[in-house]
Amino acid sequence: MRTQLIFLCISLLILKSESLNCNENNPQGHPSDLRVFHINSPCSPFKNQASVSWESELLQDKARFQYLSSLAVARKSSVPIASGRGIVQSPTYVVRANIGTPAQPMLVALDTSNDAAWIPCSGCVGCASPVLFDPSKSNSSRTLQCQAPECKQAPNPTCTVGNTCGFNMTYGGSTIEASLTQDTLSLATDVIPNYTFGCINKATGTSLPAQGLMGLGRGPLSLISQTQSLYMSTFSYCLPNSKSNNFSGSLRLGPKFQPIRIKTTPLLKNPRRSSLYYVNLVGIRVGNKIVDIPTSALAFDPATGAGTIFDSGTVFTRLVEPAYVAVRNEFRRRIKNANATSLGGFDTCYSGSVVFPSVTFMFAGMNVTLPPDNLLIHSSSGSTSCLAMAAAPINVNSVLNVIASMQQQNHRVLIDLPNSRLGISRETCT
Ligand SMILES: *[C@@H]1O[C@H](CO)[C@@H](O)[C@H](O)[C@H]1NC(C)=O
Ligand SMILES: *[C@@H]1O[C@H](CO)[C@@H](O)[C@H](O)[C@H]1NC(C)=O
Ligand SMILES: *[C@@H]1O[C@H](CO)[C@@H](O)[C@H](O)[C@H]1NC(C)=O
Ligand SMILES: *[C@@H]1O[C@H](CO)[C@@H](O)[C@H](O)[C@H]1NC(C)=O
Ligand SMILES: *[C@@H]1O[C@H](CO)[C@@H](O)[C@H](O)[C@H]1NC(C)=O
Ligand SMILES: *[C@@H]1O[C@H](CO)[C@@H](O)[C@H](O)[C@H]1NC(C)=O
């Protein structure tokens, strides 16, 4: 009902633009750090696209969730999705990548739950992007032939005219048709020759990130797998808040400069869905009480895709219904003298001055207590605050818990595949 009030304060932030620090070339002493920014941040070139309400963010999240659920249960490569509205959230965080020789700069979305990379290419039919990669202007570009080993790793590869390797894939409500291409990729100061990605020739739907996507998943075609000798399957990121007027968010590739003192939990492998980063969430504490959650709601099961993943593309954490209800009920129980209301799709909201309990995710070997900024979302007037989590949407026969970007912001999340672990430490990158 009061959803009109619930907009991010985009206009306010634009007024403040003189004090912005949008200099991308200012790494904090780590030459291979890439600036990461939120797609709607004041520093983002995409920022005029949208002022996003909670409602639409949750709706997009729902579609993203559906998509992830289909990933979790789908057999290899085929990822069908029936999204009624045809929208799926484009990943919300973007980095700069230079492709080709001479370099053509692109701003690609990060997606920790996907492997392939794809870039809209010149001549693309249906690509909404104003920035297209032109392989004919790059002297290091080549289209891969059907016999290339990489062709077998592409999603649904086909051999097309001239014996070139193409692939079709679905991304949320959109489809792309791409040719498998290799070219030089430059990230910060690093040069990656012969990087394999999809050059999009044709696209339908509206859920594709504007200038392409870079998959940071664990499968064979992902950036992480292609750069094994350079980055040793190790990276970390710190996601800034959407309102951050600063480029201090970063993607740090490789084992150098990674935090040494960091809490970690083992990464779990789901052979049926090799791109997702599964962890073992064993419990959730609200205040000092370990909430009573049925074991089955948190259990990892590769056969069904059940379990908990970290995802950079979902905004609000989603828990399977029995887990969410238990957490929410305990959260509400601890707030005396006030009754929860609903607002913009969240069901545990309070107005006025309320003391909120803490929430701790208990992973195997690692407890993470969320600071208020990762736990609560505030209405733009500041008068109402809601628990920024939700149950898995109904109608999605879901078994997946997703630890989403709002809960990861201002933390460094380390993915260390050689040691099969995921680490978390607090870091201010707002
Ligand atoms: C490719 O282009 C770069 C930069 O424009 C140039 O320095 C290089 O010599 C070219 N290489 C070839 C093989 O033509
Ligand atoms: C993609 O699918 C369409 C329709 O099924 C087909 O005509 C086309 O050849 C496919 N392209 C590639 C590259 O697989
Ligand atoms: C890149 O691919 C080309 C063509 O196959 C090859 O000649 C070249 O050695 C490769 N470069 C690297 C660094 O792998
Ligand atoms: C921007 O980030 C730097 C750290 O990189 C921090 O010192 C500064 O306070 C931040 N500025 C704003 C406005 O958030
Ligand atoms: C909360 O709701 C209950 C039941 O409707 C009511 O009795 C109680 O007075 C309400 N408490 C506050 C603080 O509004
Ligand atoms: C996490 O918290 C629980 C409950 O407070 C405690 O029993 C457990 O030892 C903690 N685990 C770690 C790794 O600190």
Side-chain angles (χ1 to χ4, degrees):
M1 51 188 168
R2 281 159 60 204
T3 46
Q4 303 96 309
L5 294 174
I6 323 298
F7 287 97
L8 299 176
C9 306
I10 296 285
S11 51
L12 263 180
L13 288 163
I14 287 168
L15 284 176
K16 268 179 26 188
S17 65
E18 291 146 85
S19 58
L20 296 190
N21 170 19
C22 292
N23 180 11
E24 284 180 67
N25 304 314
N26 188 23
Q28 306 149 297
H30 304 313
S32 21
D33 275 17
L34 283 164
R35 306 291 91 197
V36 171
F37 53 96
H38 191 280
I39 198 136
N40 290 325
S41 88
C43 287
S44 165
F46 301 108
K47 69 171 181 260
N48 294 329
Q49 275 185 348
S51 67
V52 186
S53 69
W54 288 0
E55 208 110 68
S56 68
E57 233 168 2
L58 263 180
L59 196 64
Q60 291 181 336
D61 250 14
K62 181 175 160 187
R64 168 86 182 172
F65 188 87
Q66 239 161 326
Y67 169 68
L68 289 173
S69 298
S70 75
L71 281 187
V73 297
R75 303 224 159 258
K76 232 180 124 214
S77 64
S78 93
V79 183
I81 168 128
S83 165
R85 303 284 302 264
I87 51 160
V88 158
Q89 160 134 22
S90 298
T92 21
Y93 290 95
V94 181
V95 297
R96 186 172 297 289
N98 289 309
I99 302 164
T101 319
Q104 300 178 37
M106 307 290 287
L107 291 162
V108 293
L110 294 180
D111 189 339
T112 54
S113 297
N114 266 276
D115 292 338
W118 26 263
I119 309 288
C121 283
S122 50
C124 172
V125 178
C127 285
S129 176
V131 181
L132 301 165
F133 172 66
D134 187 350
S136 72
K137 295 210 171 100
S138 166
N139 67 16
S140 47
S141 173
R142 65 191 183 106
T143 306
L144 289 180
Q145 305 268 291
C146 302
Q147 295 76 19
E150 292 86 353
C151 191
K152 291 187 193 66
Q153 300 169 345
N156 302 324
T158 47
C159 201
T160 60
V161 226
N163 190 35
T164 57
C165 178
F167 69 90
N168 277 350
M169 82 178 251
T170 315
Y171 188 79
S174 296
T175 62
I176 59 172
E177 235 181 275
S179 350
L180 207 59
T181 302
Q182 273 189 344
D183 206 336
T184 303
L185 168 71
S186 312
L187 295 173
T189 54
D190 299 328
V191 175
I192 299 147
N194 296 346
Y195 179 66
T196 305
F197 61 93
C199 200
I200 307 178
N201 307 314
K202 195 171 161 193
T204 62
T206 55
S207 59
L208 298 176
Q211 296 185 24
L213 177 131
M214 192 152 67
L216 293 175
R218 16 181 353 179
L221 255 195
S222 85
L223 176 73
I224 304 314
S225 303
Q226 289 195 50
T227 56
Q228 227 154 8
S229 57
L230 182 61
Y231 298 133
M232 282 104 185
S233 306
T234 306
F235 69 98
S236 71
Y237 57 83
C238 185
L239 303 177
N241 186 279
S242 62
K243 295 170 197 161
S244 172
N245 52 9
N246 216 327
F247 267 105
S248 58
S250 70
L251 171 66
R252 188 170 301 156
L253 294 157
K256 260 196 209 162
F257 304 116
Q258 297 298 358
I260 294 161
R261 266 188 297 275
I262 187 166
K263 295 186 209 174
T264 65
T265 189
L267 276 170
L268 307 176
K269 224 180 197 165
N270 181 347
R272 294 183 69 183
R273 204 55 221 181
S274 54
S275 36
L276 302 178
Y277 292 106
Y278 278 91
V279 292
N280 190 3
L281 178 63
V282 292
I284 300 174
R285 209 168 65 203
V286 176
N288 55 12
K289 175 156 202 273
I290 298 171
V291 175
D292 192 9
I293 298 172
T295 323
S296 62
L298 301 180
F300 173 65
D301 182 356
T304 60
T308 303
I309 63 164
F310 269 72
D311 179 46
S312 62
T314 309
V315 181
F316 303 110
T317 287
R318 295 274 186 170
L319 301 172
V320 298
E321 191 156 22
Y324 177 70
V325 169
V327 168
R328 175 201 70 188
N329 289 351
E330 182 60 23
F331 194 87
R332 288 179 180 175
R333 206 181 61 76
R334 286 179 171 258
I335 297 171
K336 311 270 188 234
N337 308 322
N339 288 333
T341 56
S342 291
L343 186 58
F346 295 103
D347 67 2
T348 302
C349 304
Y350 296 89
S351 303
S353 61
V354 167
V355 179
F356 292 99
S358 65
V359 171
T360 303
F361 289 127
M362 297 160 59
F363 300 102
M366 167 178 95
N367 291 340
V368 178
T369 299
L370 297 176
D373 279 350
N374 295 99
L375 193 57
L376 301 167
I377 183 159
H378 310 286
S379 65
S380 54
S381 62
S383 61
T384 303
S385 303
C386 302
L387 175 63
M389 295 182 196
I394 38 174
N395 302 332
V396 179
N397 189 15
S398 179
V399 288
L400 201 59
N401 299 298
V402 178
I403 309 294
S405 67
M406 159 119 199
Q407 278 65 45
Q408 297 179 44
Q409 283 169 10
N410 288 315
H411 287 80
R412 184 152 293 274
V413 178
L414 169 72
I415 304 286
D416 175 359
L417 287 176
N419 297 304
S420 198
R421 57 185 194 151
L422 180 149
I424 293 202
S425 65
R426 277 206 212 170
E427 181 177 320
T428 305
C429 57
T430 290

PDB file of all heavy atoms in Angstrom, residues 148-167:
ATOM      1  N   ALA A 148      37.054 -28.181 -31.742  1.00  0.00           N
ATOM      2  CA  ALA A 148      37.780 -27.642 -30.586  1.00  0.00           C
ATOM      3  C   ALA A 148      37.278 -28.298 -29.299  1.00  0.00           C
ATOM      4  O   ALA A 148      36.067 -28.475 -29.129  1.00  0.00           O
ATOM      5  CB  ALA A 148      37.596 -26.134 -30.515  1.00  0.00           C
ATOM      6  N   PRO A 149      38.189 -28.666 -28.402  1.00  0.00           N
ATOM      7  CA  PRO A 149      37.745 -29.309 -27.152  1.00  0.00           C
ATOM      8  C   PRO A 149      36.778 -28.432 -26.348  1.00  0.00           C
ATOM      9  O   PRO A 149      35.871 -28.937 -25.688  1.00  0.00           O
ATOM     10  CB  PRO A 149      39.049 -29.557 -26.384  1.00  0.00           C
ATOM     11  CG  PRO A 149      40.134 -28.843 -27.132  1.00  0.00           C
ATOM     12  CD  PRO A 149      39.647 -28.571 -28.511  1.00  0.00           C
ATOM     13  N   GLU A 150      36.949 -27.119 -26.434  1.00  0.00           N
ATOM     14  CA  GLU A 150      36.076 -26.208 -25.671  1.00  0.00           C
ATOM     15  C   GLU A 150      34.628 -26.322 -26.136  1.00  0.00           C
ATOM     16  O   GLU A 150      33.696 -26.032 -25.387  1.00  0.00           O
ATOM     17  CB  GLU A 150      36.526 -24.749 -25.846  1.00  0.00           C
ATOM     18  CG  GLU A 150      37.860 -24.411 -25.220  1.00  0.00           C
ATOM     19  CD  GLU A 150      39.040 -24.708 -26.147  1.00  0.00           C
ATOM     20  OE1 GLU A 150      38.827 -25.303 -27.240  1.00  0.00           O
ATOM     21  OE2 GLU A 150      40.176 -24.358 -25.784  1.00  0.00           O
ATOM     22  N   CYS A 151      34.464 -26.730 -27.424  1.00  0.00           N
ATOM     23  CA  CYS A 151      33.117 -26.808 -27.982  1.00  0.00           C
ATOM     24  C   CYS A 151      32.251 -27.800 -27.197  1.00  0.00           C
ATOM     25  O   CYS A 151      31.073 -27.562 -26.982  1.00  0.00           O
ATOM     26  CB  CYS A 151      33.196 -27.192 -29.460  1.00  0.00           C
ATOM     27  SG  CYS A 151      31.634 -26.999 -30.325  1.00  0.00           S
ATOM     28  N   LYS A 152      32.877 -28.873 -26.727  1.00  0.00           N
ATOM     29  CA  LYS A 152      32.116 -29.878 -25.971  1.00  0.00           C
ATOM     30  C   LYS A 152      31.675 -29.355 -24.606  1.00  0.00           C
ATOM     31  O   LYS A 152      30.742 -29.867 -24.006  1.00  0.00           O
ATOM     32  CB  LYS A 152      32.968 -31.132 -25.775  1.00  0.00           C
ATOM     33  CG  LYS A 152      33.213 -31.875 -27.057  1.00  0.00           C
ATOM     34  CD  LYS A 152      33.921 -33.214 -26.788  1.00  0.00           C
ATOM     35  CE  LYS A 152      34.463 -33.808 -28.077  1.00  0.00           C
ATOM     36  NZ  LYS A 152      35.558 -32.981 -28.675  1.00  0.00           N
ATOM     37  N   GLN A 153      32.379 -28.336 -24.094  1.00  0.00           N
ATOM     38  CA  GLN A 153      32.042 -27.811 -22.762  1.00  0.00           C
ATOM     39  C   GLN A 153      30.939 -26.754 -22.810  1.00  0.00           C
ATOM     40  O   GLN A 153      30.385 -26.380 -21.788  1.00  0.00           O
ATOM     41  CB  GLN A 153      33.291 -27.193 -22.127  1.00  0.00           C
ATOM     42  CG  GLN A 153      34.420 -28.186 -21.960  1.00  0.00           C
ATOM     43  CD  GLN A 153      35.730 -27.510 -21.581  1.00  0.00           C
ATOM     44  OE1 GLN A 153      35.880 -26.300 -21.704  1.00  0.00           O
ATOM     45  NE2 GLN A 153      36.673 -28.307 -21.106  1.00  0.00           N
ATOM     46  N   ALA A 154      30.664 -26.262 -24.016  1.00  0.00           N
ATOM     47  CA  ALA A 154      29.646 -25.213 -24.133  1.00  0.00           C
ATOM     48  C   ALA A 154      28.269 -25.803 -23.867  1.00  0.00           C
ATOM     49  O   ALA A 154      28.040 -26.989 -24.073  1.00  0.00           O
ATOM     50  CB  ALA A 154      29.705 -24.596 -25.525  1.00  0.00           C
ATOM     51  N   PRO A 155      27.328 -24.967 -23.383  1.00  0.00           N
ATOM     52  CA  PRO A 155      25.974 -25.464 -23.173  1.00  0.00           C
ATOM     53  C   PRO A 155      25.289 -25.743 -24.523  1.00  0.00           C
ATOM     54  O   PRO A 155      25.296 -24.874 -25.385  1.00  0.00           O
ATOM     55  CB  PRO A 155      25.277 -24.323 -22.428  1.00  0.00           C
ATOM     56  CG  PRO A 155      26.143 -23.119 -22.576  1.00  0.00           C
ATOM     57  CD  PRO A 155      27.500 -23.555 -22.987  1.00  0.00           C
ATOM     58  N   ASN A 156      24.760 -26.926 -24.705  1.00  0.00           N
ATOM     59  CA  ASN A 156      24.067 -27.313 -25.957  1.00  0.00           C
ATOM     60  C   ASN A 156      24.802 -26.917 -27.236  1.00  0.00           C
ATOM     61  O   ASN A 156      24.254 -26.189 -28.056  1.00  0.00           O
ATOM     62  CB  ASN A 156      22.671 -26.674 -26.022  1.00  0.00           C
ATOM     63  CG  ASN A 156      21.811 -27.073 -24.847  1.00  0.00           C
ATOM     64  OD1 ASN A 156      21.896 -28.207 -24.381  1.00  0.00           O
ATOM     65  ND2 ASN A 156      21.002 -26.147 -24.363  1.00  0.00           N
ATOM     66  N   PRO A 157      26.041 -27.374 -27.403  1.00  0.00           N
ATOM     67  CA  PRO A 157      26.791 -26.930 -28.579  1.00  0.00           C
ATOM     68  C   PRO A 157      26.221 -27.509 -29.870  1.00  0.00           C
ATOM     69  O   PRO A 157      25.683 -28.615 -29.880  1.00  0.00           O
ATOM     70  CB  PRO A 157      28.199 -27.478 -28.326  1.00  0.00           C
ATOM     71  CG  PRO A 157      28.009 -28.637 -27.415  1.00  0.00           C
ATOM     72  CD  PRO A 157      26.789 -28.346 -26.585  1.00  0.00           C
ATOM     73  N   THR A 158      26.326 -26.734 -30.946  1.00  0.00           N
ATOM     74  CA  THR A 158      25.946 -27.242 -32.263  1.00  0.00           C
ATOM     75  C   THR A 158      26.996 -26.796 -33.261  1.00  0.00           C
ATOM     76  O   THR A 158      27.705 -25.815 -33.047  1.00  0.00           O
ATOM     77  CB  THR A 158      24.588 -26.703 -32.749  1.00  0.00           C
ATOM     78  OG1 THR A 158      24.566 -25.293 -32.537  1.00  0.00           O
ATOM     79  CG2 THR A 158      23.431 -27.350 -32.039  1.00  0.00           C
ATOM     80  N   CYS A 159      27.073 -27.561 -34.354  1.00  0.00           N
ATOM     81  CA  CYS A 159      28.017 -27.217 -35.400  1.00  0.00           C
ATOM     82  C   CYS A 159      27.249 -26.417 -36.440  1.00  0.00           C
ATOM     83  O   CYS A 159      26.237 -26.878 -36.957  1.00  0.00           O
ATOM     84  CB  CYS A 159      28.561 -28.519 -35.992  1.00  0.00           C
ATOM     85  SG  CYS A 159      30.124 -28.290 -36.821  1.00  0.00           S
ATOM     86  N   THR A 160      27.686 -25.212 -36.706  1.00  0.00           N
ATOM     87  CA  THR A 160      26.936 -24.363 -37.640  1.00  0.00           C
ATOM     88  C   THR A 160      27.741 -24.109 -38.916  1.00  0.00           C
ATOM     89  O   THR A 160      28.842 -24.648 -39.074  1.00  0.00           O
ATOM     90  CB  THR A 160      26.528 -23.027 -36.976  1.00  0.00           C
ATOM     91  OG1 THR A 160      27.706 -22.352 -36.574  1.00  0.00           O
ATOM     92  CG2 THR A 160      25.646 -23.268 -35.763  1.00  0.00           C
ATOM     93  N   VAL A 161      27.183 -23.264 -39.748  1.00  0.00           N
ATOM     94  CA  VAL A 161      27.798 -22.949 -41.061  1.00  0.00           C
ATOM     95  C   VAL A 161      29.293 -22.709 -40.943  1.00  0.00           C
ATOM     96  O   VAL A 161      29.736 -22.005 -40.040  1.00  0.00           O
ATOM     97  CB  VAL A 161      27.178 -21.657 -41.664  1.00  0.00           C
ATOM     98  CG1 VAL A 161      26.843 -21.868 -43.135  1.00  0.00           C
ATOM     99  CG2 VAL A 161      26.001 -21.170 -40.868  1.00  0.00           C
ATOM    100  N   GLY A 162      30.049 -23.271 -41.869  1.00  0.00           N
ATOM    101  CA  GLY A 162      31.486 -23.049 -41.877  1.00  0.00           C
ATOM    102  C   GLY A 162      32.201 -23.814 -40.776  1.00  0.00           C
ATOM    103  O   GLY A 162      33.282 -23.411 -40.350  1.00  0.00           O
ATOM    104  N   ASN A 163      31.558 -24.889 -40.270  1.00  0.00           N
ATOM    105  CA  ASN A 163      32.179 -25.723 -39.245  1.00  0.00           C
ATOM    106  C   ASN A 163      32.537 -24.946 -37.974  1.00  0.00           C
ATOM    107  O   ASN A 163      33.516 -25.224 -37.302  1.00  0.00           O
ATOM    108  CB  ASN A 163      33.434 -26.415 -39.832  1.00  0.00           C
ATOM    109  CG  ASN A 163      33.982 -27.483 -38.894  1.00  0.00           C
ATOM    110  OD1 ASN A 163      33.216 -28.171 -38.204  1.00  0.00           O
ATOM    111  ND2 ASN A 163      35.298 -27.608 -38.843  1.00  0.00           N
ATOM    112  N   THR A 164      31.723 -23.925 -37.659  1.00  0.00           N
ATOM    113  CA  THR A 164      32.018 -23.176 -36.442  1.00  0.00           C
ATOM    114  C   THR A 164      31.118 -23.644 -35.305  1.00  0.00           C
ATOM    115  O   THR A 164      30.000 -24.085 -35.519  1.00  0.00           O
ATOM    116  CB  THR A 164      31.827 -21.658 -36.651  1.00  0.00           C
ATOM    117  OG1 THR A 164      30.488 -21.424 -37.092  1.00  0.00           O
ATOM    118  CG2 THR A 164      32.822 -21.119 -37.671  1.00  0.00           C
ATOM    119  N   CYS A 165      31.667 -23.539 -34.091  1.00  0.00           N
ATOM    120  CA  CYS A 165      30.962 -24.039 -32.909  1.00  0.00           C
ATOM    121  C   CYS A 165      30.014 -22.965 -32.379  1.00  0.00           C
ATOM    122  O   CYS A 165      30.438 -21.842 -32.086  1.00  0.00           O
ATOM    123  CB  CYS A 165      31.968 -24.421 -31.840  1.00  0.00           C
ATOM    124  SG  CYS A 165      31.211 -24.994 -30.319  1.00  0.00           S
ATOM    125  N   GLY A 166      28.735 -23.303 -32.280  1.00  0.00           N
ATOM    126  CA  GLY A 166      27.773 -22.359 -31.724  1.00  0.00           C
ATOM    127  C   GLY A 166      27.073 -22.989 -30.537  1.00  0.00           C
ATOM    128  O   GLY A 166      27.163 -24.200 -30.329  1.00  0.00           O
ATOM    129  N   PHE A 167      26.432 -22.189 -29.765  1.00  0.00           N
ATOM    130  CA  PHE A 167      25.592 -22.757 -28.713  1.00  0.00           C
ATOM    131  C   PHE A 167      24.380 -21.891 -28.459  1.00  0.00           C
ATOM    132  O   PHE A 167      24.364 -20.702 -28.756  1.00  0.00           O
ATOM    133  CB  PHE A 167      26.381 -23.010 -27.419  1.00  0.00           C
ATOM    134  CG  PHE A 167      26.835 -21.771 -26.693  1.00  0.00           C
ATOM    135  CD1 PHE A 167      26.020 -21.176 -25.735  1.00  0.00           C
ATOM    136  CD2 PHE A 167      28.081 -21.206 -26.939  1.00  0.00           C
ATOM    137  CE1 PHE A 167      26.435 -20.047 -25.043  1.00  0.00           C
ATOM    138  CE2 PHE A 167      28.502 -20.069 -26.250  1.00  0.00           C
ATOM    139  CZ  PHE A 167      27.681 -19.489 -25.297  1.00  0.00           C
TER     140      PHE A 167
END
